[in-house]
Amino acid sequence: MSLVLENLYYTKTHEWIRVEEDIGIVGITDFAQKELQDIVYFGIDESIIKKELKAGEKFGYVEAVKTAADLYLPVSGEVLEINKELISNPAIANQDPYGKGWILKIKIKDKEELKSLLNSEDYKKHIGE
Amino acid sequence: MLEKLLKEYSKRGKFNDYLGEIDVEKKDIEKIIPQNLLRKDFEFIEVSEIEVIRHFIRLSNLNYHLDKGIYPLGSCTMKHNPKVNEEVSSYEGFIFLHPLQKEEDIQGALKLMYELIYFLKEISGMDYVSLQPPAGASGELTSMLVIKKYFMDKKEDRKIVLIPDSAHGTNPASVTMAGFICQTIKSNSEGMVDLDDLKKNLSEQVACLMITNPNTLGIFEKNIKIIIEELHRYGALVYLDGANLNAYCGIHRPGDVGVDIMHFNLHKTFSTPHGGGGPGAGPVGAKSFLVPYLPNPKIEKEGERYYFKYDKESIGKTASFYGNFNVFIKAYTYLRMNGIKGLKKMSQIAVLNANYLRKRLEEIGFSCEYKTSTLHEFVLTLKDFKRKDIRALDIAKRLLDYDCHAPTIYFPLIVPEAFMIEPTETEPKEELDRFISVMKKIKEEIEENPNLVKEAPHNTPVKRLDEGKAGRELVVKWD
Ligand SMILES: Cc1ncc(COP(=O)(O)O)c(C=O)c1O
């Protein structure tokens, strides 16, 4: 069983977003890290900092031992920060996907967009657990 | 440490008695060679013959290889490499050749290459073949560069290459390296190219489609002719990844259905050691309008004389000299021994073996994600075992305990918990049956004692390696 936290929003592509006022913290889910297995690299270009990205836009990729997957932004917003610790030690996304393993922080542009994301119940159904 | 380095067995003064006394004058090396060219930190390894032999025998025993048992590594065609290939490729006439020798001194080598090209042309239905690229992936890149140059000369700006989502990872890598942009084409529920998705993505911007047939699921693209017609309608080309040629030698010719350019993996289909066992060769075959663009030099014949031909349209070289010549000798030997009839039988048995294995594994409860019938390989999905917290990786590791090489896992990406099996034609039925009984045993273990599988391997020289760490902290140098 994968851990699904109640207070987060989820995408079908297995990203989560935690909302703190108008800041959104984005990462990949416990289900995603289990599927990927050993994560070796996050390919996220620093040039996205301060850029406005749209909901569903690809912002980088994650590489694991056996596979790689693209990363998509749950809602539109300006990228504020990339988790430097995660870039230098990608394995923390395996160990603590909802905590230390966060990927980036954004300034949410339109909170209405959150409504189109999955809540924890929907996400559990989506992954069949 | 499982086996020490040879250096660690070394001891000053160890020697082989039968060598006898030195009977030439000893010279002081310090006097013959200038000081600045002398290495002070260098020590010759001194070991006896028996120590050297034992060292290498011990190493080969630690390893699992084709000479020990089944090696069903999907997409890699790990067939038995006849030992006669090794003998022929060690003939003095071959091993003492130098690539800088003049044409007239190496007529035999040119003849071998010329005839090998002829065989590959006959097998594929292409108009000419360049033997130069040293691996399949290199053949892909060569082909992409050829296509790029072709459209440059036609002054057509085409940037997109279409690739089915079942493709091997080297395909998009080659496309990107050549400066094209990849566009993924979806597979349909039968595991074949989705024609609607293909049509949706077709435009005058498309340079080519890279297609693998049979695809990496082992499924023959039954719409291949329609697919090729669609691309040609837009002036785009079709590239075939020939990694799976073992499925249809002497039965189907890609050139006949309209493929414009393709690569061969001599090391797979035509039995030369690969996967740590030696270098490869990834020749590229093309239709006449693309031939001038192939790497230089080409091998041609005039009367009884063989010569190198240089085309000014060529993309240049994609390997030093003429490619991996030693591999050509082995593939040539294999082709001459089999003849076209033998090659057809080779493919038929490869398909038969794979289908026997698939059927028997399905009978004991394993299943394929796509139910479509398959040729020389098939891909199981092991997703059912997730309920016991067992993954494809665990089952692959457990197979090692039973002296079986594991199949390819987690590829193609469209199959969850993929387990890709290619037995090849050289595996005897008894060995296939042994593999089946091992798979049955592991299935029982998963139900009764899943930890045994989860913690596998138990009997190998090393247990699970930390692949994640190896990827994150890549060290490629010995200190
Ligand atoms: C389908 C497919 N295409 C291309 C390649 C690349 O060939 P090579 O390993 O000779 O570079 C492979 C290799 O395994 C393959 O399976």
Side-chain angles (χ1 to χ4, degrees):
Chain A
M1 281 294 267
S2 310
L3 188 63
V4 179
L5 299 186
E6 264 179 27
N7 54 344
L8 307 180
Y9 295 94
Y10 298 89
T11 64
K12 286 192 175 156
T13 46
H14 313 287
E15 290 87 7
W16 55 261
I17 181 165
R18 174 182 289 125
V19 181
E20 292 176 356
E21 307 203 345
D22 59 350
I23 304 293
I25 304 168
V26 178
I28 58 167
T29 65
D30 187 43
F31 176 82
Q33 72 80 13
K34 278 195 183 140
E35 280 295 303
L36 289 163
Q37 308 191 38
D38 263 338
I39 294 172
V40 297
Y41 188 71
F42 277 92
I44 300 168
D45 202 60
E46 292 225 347
S47 68
I48 63 166
I49 293 178
K50 295 215 174 95
K51 272 212 188 113
E52 281 252 352
L53 299 183
K54 285 201 202 68
E57 198 170 331
K58 179 183 160 184
F59 66 86
Y61 63 91
V62 49
E63 206 176 299
V65 170
K66 300 289 179 204
T67 187
D70 288 336
L71 299 165
Y72 301 98
L73 206 63
V75 293
S76 312
E78 183 194 329
V79 179
L80 301 173
E81 189 185 341
I82 298 170
N83 184 357
K84 286 210 189 76
E85 205 191 329
L86 179 76
I87 302 296
S88 59
N89 180 16
I92 57 180
N94 286 122
Q95 294 146 10
D96 189 8
Y98 297 114
K100 284 203 179 114
W102 64 275
I103 302 173
L104 45 79
K105 287 187 185 166
I106 59 168
K107 187 160 193 270
I108 299 172
K109 192 173 170 205
D110 177 7
K111 281 202 173 177
E112 279 297 299
E113 282 183 6
L114 291 166
K115 287 186 184 151
S116 61
L117 298 176
L118 308 175
N119 63 26
S120 59
E121 283 310 306
D122 297 337
Y123 184 67
K124 272 187 201 159
K125 271 190 216 127
H126 176 60
I127 60 175
E129 286 186 2
Chain B
M1 193 52 127
L2 293 160
E3 174 62 18
K4 289 197 280 190
L5 296 173
L6 207 46
K7 189 171 110 176
E8 295 172 279
Y9 290 108
S10 174
K11 208 160 157 197
R12 224 36 228 262
K14 272 194 193 173
F15 62 94
N16 293 301
D17 285 336
Y18 63 79
L19 288 178
E21 288 293 311
I22 294 174
D23 58 359
V24 290
E25 188 195 343
K26 279 191 198 171
K27 287 190 180 157
D28 189 356
I29 195 160
E30 311 250 340
K31 288 199 181 123
I32 324 171
I33 296 180
Q35 280 298 317
N36 62 336
L37 296 178
L38 273 178
R39 267 180 69 180
K40 297 267 173 350
D41 60 349
F42 186 77
E43 245 181 86
F44 274 110
I45 294 175
E46 296 183 50
V47 282
S48 61
E49 184 172 299
I50 187 72
E51 285 176 300
V52 178
I53 293 173
R54 285 181 182 158
H55 170 71
F56 285 107
I57 293 287
R58 278 195 291 260
L59 283 179
S60 75
N61 281 336
L62 289 174
N63 193 15
Y64 185 87
H65 43 81
L66 204 53
D67 293 344
K68 273 191 179 169
I70 191 167
Y71 206 131
L73 194 64
S75 208
C76 296
T77 316
M78 304 304 284
K79 62 172 73 180
H80 167 62
N81 306 305
K83 300 299 177 201
V84 65
N85 293 353
E86 298 300 321
E87 190 177 331
V88 175
S89 66
S90 333
Y91 284 169
E92 279 192 2
F94 290 131
I95 58 176
F96 292 127
L97 282 174
H98 192 283
L100 286 175
Q101 271 175 278
K102 291 198 201 104
E103 252 170 44
E104 55 264 36
D105 294 340
I106 50 165
Q107 285 291 305
L110 293 188
K111 180 178 180 188
L112 184 140
M113 289 196 270
Y114 185 85
E115 291 186 358
L116 178 57
I117 291 167
Y118 172 78
F119 295 146
L120 296 177
K121 273 160 52 177
E122 283 298 305
I123 288 166
S124 63
M126 305 311 270
D127 294 326
Y128 188 77
V129 176
S130 166
L131 299 176
Q132 216 175 86
S138 170
E140 293 170 24
L141 178 63
T142 302
S143 305
M144 288 306 110
L145 294 173
V146 163
I147 291 174
K148 199 174 175 187
K149 187 102 196 298
Y150 168 74
F151 282 122
M152 252 165 73
D153 281 4
K154 281 186 76 177
K155 304 216 171 3
E156 287 182 32
D157 186 26
R158 294 173 182 257
K159 289 212 168 59
I160 298 169
V161 174
L162 306 178
I163 304 183
D165 56 9
S166 56
H168 192 254
T170 49
N171 287 187
S174 303
V175 166
T176 309
M177 265 184 93
F180 287 113
I181 296 162
C182 303
Q183 173 62 49
T184 307
I185 304 297
K186 284 196 207 108
S187 297
N188 62 21
S189 59
E190 289 179 283
M192 298 178 209
V193 168
D194 183 326
L195 284 180
D196 292 332
D197 198 46
L198 176 73
K199 284 180 191 159
K200 227 171 45 205
N201 282 290
L202 266 173
S203 72
E204 316 258 290
Q205 306 261 310
V206 173
C208 74
L209 165 75
M210 274 188 118
I211 191 164
T212 310
N213 196 25
N215 63 27
T216 62
L217 297 162
I219 297 170
F220 192 85
E221 297 280 353
K222 67 175 182 204
N223 295 321
I224 186 72
K225 277 191 172 158
I226 301 173
I227 293 171
I228 294 175
E229 274 167 27
E230 280 296 320
L231 272 115
H232 286 170
R233 222 149 50 87
Y234 284 86
L237 304 181
V238 175
Y239 166 83
L240 178 90
D241 179 327
N244 292 339
L245 178 58
N246 213 44
Y248 56 83
C249 262
I251 299 163
H252 158 79
R253 302 202 318 166
D256 295 345
V257 293
V259 166
D260 299 296
I261 183 164
M262 67 177 283
H263 87 255
F264 305 77
N265 296 64
L266 296 190
H267 45 288
K268 296 181 182 179
T269 321
F270 304 119
S271 83
T272 80
H274 58 294
V284 169
K287 288 285 174 64
S288 54
F289 68 101
L290 291 174
V291 170
Y293 297 97
L294 289 176
N296 272 339
K298 283 138 193 143
I299 320 278
E300 290 291 357
K301 186 181 180 188
E302 197 185 331
E304 285 307 302
R305 186 180 146 263
Y306 299 90
Y307 67 99
F308 292 124
K309 178 167 169 270
Y310 292 82
D311 288 312
K312 66 175 189 317
E313 296 89 345
S314 167
I315 60 162
K317 277 191 163 296
T318 49
S320 58
F321 298 109
Y322 319 108
N324 285 327
F325 182 68
N326 202 263
V327 176
F328 306 158
I329 306 170
K330 294 176 190 180
Y332 179 84
T333 307
Y334 184 78
L335 283 164
R336 289 298 296 257
M337 287 206 319
N338 277 288
I340 196 67
K341 275 201 195 126
L343 291 179
K344 185 171 176 182
K345 184 146 183 231
M346 158 195 104
S347 287
Q348 288 170 331
I349 304 292
V351 172
L352 182 65
N353 273 359
N355 277 279
Y356 173 71
L357 211 49
R358 174 175 174 182
K359 186 93 189 129
R360 292 285 312 274
L361 288 173
E362 283 175 346
E363 278 166 14
I364 58 173
F366 291 96
S367 59
C368 289
E369 181 81 356
Y370 297 92
K371 306 301 168 206
T372 317
S373 60
T374 43
L375 295 178
H376 69 305
E377 68 186 358
F378 58 99
V379 184
L380 298 177
T381 170
L382 302 181
K383 64 183 176 194
D384 276 355
F385 300 107
K386 273 189 170 172
R387 65 188 156 79
K388 286 276 186 182
D389 199 25
I390 295 291
R391 314 280 301 257
L393 178 71
D394 304 318
I395 297 177
K397 294 289 183 195
R398 186 63 180 147
L399 273 171
L400 309 182
D401 282 334
Y402 290 107
D403 281 326
C404 294
H405 195 285
T408 299
I409 53 175
Y410 300 106
F411 166 66
L413 299 178
I414 55 172
V415 176
E417 299 300 310
F419 210 65
M420 184 193 220
I421 303 175
E422 180 184 11
T424 82
E425 71 282 4
T426 54
E427 243 16 277
K429 179 169 175 292
E430 291 75 13
E431 185 68 357
L432 298 178
D433 287 337
R434 185 177 76 85
F435 181 77
I436 294 159
S437 62
V438 168
M439 287 292 283
K440 187 160 183 252
K441 183 94 201 297
I442 296 176
K443 195 162 177 286
E444 287 158 12
E445 288 172 353
I446 295 172
E447 298 305 332
E448 286 152 22
N449 185 5
N451 271 343
L452 195 61
V453 180
K454 192 89 214 153
E455 284 155 23
H458 304 276
N459 310 334
T460 50
V462 290
K463 305 296 169 231
R464 286 204 195 192
L465 303 177
D466 190 342
E467 295 176 58
K469 185 166 192 266
R472 287 187 293 269
E473 297 162 36
L474 194 63
V475 181
V476 289
K477 175 167 147 266
W478 174 265
D479 286 317

Short mmCIF file of all heavy atoms in Angstrom, two decimals, chain B residues 4 32 52 84 99 106 243 299 316 423 467 470:
data_model
loop_
_atom_site.label_atom_id
_atom_site.label_comp_id
_atom_site.label_asym_id
_atom_site.label_seq_id
_atom_site.Cartn_x
_atom_site.Cartn_y
_atom_site.Cartn_z
N LYS B 4 41.19 -12.31 -6.10
CA LYS B 4 42.16 -11.21 -6.05
C LYS B 4 42.55 -10.77 -7.46
O LYS B 4 42.36 -11.50 -8.42
CB LYS B 4 43.42 -11.68 -5.30
CG LYS B 4 43.17 -11.85 -3.81
CD LYS B 4 44.47 -11.90 -3.04
CE LYS B 4 45.10 -13.29 -3.12
NZ LYS B 4 46.24 -13.44 -2.20
N ILE B 32 69.94 2.28 -21.65
CA ILE B 32 69.41 2.29 -23.02
C ILE B 32 68.33 3.34 -23.21
O ILE B 32 68.19 3.92 -24.27
CB ILE B 32 68.79 0.92 -23.41
CG1 ILE B 32 69.56 -0.24 -22.78
CG2 ILE B 32 68.71 0.76 -24.91
CD1 ILE B 32 68.88 -1.57 -22.95
N VAL B 52 48.07 -17.94 -13.34
CA VAL B 52 47.31 -17.16 -14.34
C VAL B 52 46.09 -17.94 -14.79
O VAL B 52 44.97 -17.42 -14.84
CB VAL B 52 48.20 -16.81 -15.56
CG1 VAL B 52 47.39 -16.05 -16.59
CG2 VAL B 52 49.41 -16.04 -15.13
N VAL B 84 33.21 -22.26 -34.44
CA VAL B 84 33.97 -22.19 -35.69
C VAL B 84 34.16 -20.72 -36.10
O VAL B 84 35.16 -20.37 -36.74
CB VAL B 84 33.28 -23.01 -36.81
CG1 VAL B 84 31.92 -22.43 -37.18
CG2 VAL B 84 34.16 -23.12 -38.04
N PRO B 99 44.79 -2.06 -41.09
CA PRO B 99 43.80 -1.28 -41.84
C PRO B 99 44.39 -0.22 -42.76
O PRO B 99 43.69 0.30 -43.63
CB PRO B 99 42.96 -0.63 -40.73
CG PRO B 99 43.75 -0.75 -39.48
CD PRO B 99 44.63 -1.94 -39.63
N ILE B 106 44.96 -6.17 -49.79
CA ILE B 106 43.92 -6.70 -48.88
C ILE B 106 42.67 -7.11 -49.67
O ILE B 106 41.55 -6.99 -49.21
CB ILE B 106 43.54 -5.66 -47.80
CG1 ILE B 106 43.22 -4.30 -48.45
CG2 ILE B 106 44.63 -5.51 -46.76
CD1 ILE B 106 42.50 -3.35 -47.53
N ALA B 243 16.79 -4.73 -35.15
CA ALA B 243 17.25 -5.56 -34.03
C ALA B 243 16.53 -6.90 -33.98
O ALA B 243 17.08 -7.87 -33.46
CB ALA B 243 17.05 -4.80 -32.71
N ILE B 299 32.52 -0.34 -50.46
CA ILE B 299 33.34 -1.39 -51.08
C ILE B 299 32.66 -1.76 -52.40
O ILE B 299 31.50 -2.16 -52.41
CB ILE B 299 33.41 -2.66 -50.19
CG1 ILE B 299 33.53 -2.30 -48.72
CG2 ILE B 299 34.47 -3.62 -50.70
CD1 ILE B 299 34.84 -1.97 -48.18
N GLY B 316 30.17 11.01 -44.23
CA GLY B 316 31.52 10.87 -43.69
C GLY B 316 31.69 9.53 -43.01
O GLY B 316 31.07 8.54 -43.40
N PRO B 423 14.08 -16.71 -26.22
CA PRO B 423 14.93 -17.89 -25.98
C PRO B 423 15.95 -18.14 -27.10
O PRO B 423 16.97 -18.75 -26.84
CB PRO B 423 13.92 -19.03 -25.91
CG PRO B 423 12.72 -18.57 -26.68
CD PRO B 423 12.68 -17.08 -26.55
N GLU B 467 22.09 -0.58 -7.31
CA GLU B 467 22.07 0.04 -8.64
C GLU B 467 21.80 1.53 -8.55
O GLU B 467 22.30 2.31 -9.36
CB GLU B 467 21.02 -0.62 -9.52
CG GLU B 467 21.31 -2.07 -9.83
CD GLU B 467 20.20 -2.72 -10.64
OE1 GLU B 467 19.89 -2.22 -11.73
OE2 GLU B 467 19.62 -3.71 -10.17
N ALA B 470 24.96 3.22 -7.69
CA ALA B 470 25.85 3.18 -8.85
C ALA B 470 25.48 4.28 -9.84
O ALA B 470 26.33 4.89 -10.47
CB ALA B 470 25.79 1.81 -9.51
#
